[in-house]
Amino acid sequence: MGINFKNSQNNDQYRLSIQAYCRPFKQPLHTHHGVWRDRQGIWIQLCPIDEEESNDRGWGEIAPLPGFGSESVTEALQFCQSFGGQITDEQIRSIPDRFPACQFGFESALIDLHNWEAPPNLTQVCGLLPTGKAALDLQLPIWNQGYQTLKWKIAVAEISQELNDFQDLLSMLPDGIKVRLDANGGLTETQAHQWLQACADRPVEFLEQPLGISEFEAMLALSQEYPTPLALDESIATWQQFLNCYHAGWPGVMVVKPAILGFPSRLIEFCQADRVDMVLSSVFETAIARKMLLRLAATLNLQRALGLGTDCWFED
């Protein structure tokens, strides 16, 4: 089951509805970038003007991450409001690259309008553990949800403490469970070596973004020195960064956040022509964007677990 684009290349007009949202996390999310307490974004709905009496509706979600190079929620909201409640296919296709979250949201709504089948129920999903020692709590719901892959954020506390917690975490994992370690670009090169040495012969799927985005060459060298694969995340947050790293010969995994990468059709077209070892990852979007991500994953026929195990972080 893939995505049908056949009706999305016209120049039809749509009634545009906009609704901002704010979802508090159950508990603050700690990463190397800081503490995240709520998720703000925008839901949009498209309704064909010449078919307003029908029930045809297309839903999309705009979930910016300005720290990763996208527009802000305020900028996205102002952009949506600038259309005065109506928008055309041509205007959607002409959304500039400085609004990648809007590109994703509007094209998602257009695709949703013309794809009536429900998205597939993909079970290969990676769960997100709390940061630090909190990940060792066996009472967490995530331990009982059947995940085969778990993600744990590092580079938040002292490395000696995190390495000890890492060993404790591995000793608790059931057989067959893999771990993704995500440093969010927060390690030094020396610390990256320490982590990669600790990962040797352990059930670690990959080490994600060990160094900052300006240290691509150093990460390229690290990827050739250790058996544990490396993955890029912050380094490929924008479409141009994604292209630059791919064409520079990145040999490892690419963790792509579609909700801030731009038009989904552009990613599909690229992946149909070029082989990419890819993980689709969440930006803590709601079920509206998740629906699009599941469709996208099915279209791309990805083999790695999706980075979408974030639902348990919200009350709703």
Side-chain angles (χ1 to χ4, degrees), residues 205-218:
E205 185 180 10
F206 55 72
L207 172 59
E208 185 175 334
Q209 195 72 40
L211 308 179
I213 61 174
S214 64
E215 299 175 88
F216 176 80
E217 294 298 330

Side-chain angles (χ1 to χ4, degrees), residues 22 35 100 145 211 226 247:
C22 179
V35 181
Q145 292 181 359
L211 308 179
Y226 293 93
H247 291 303

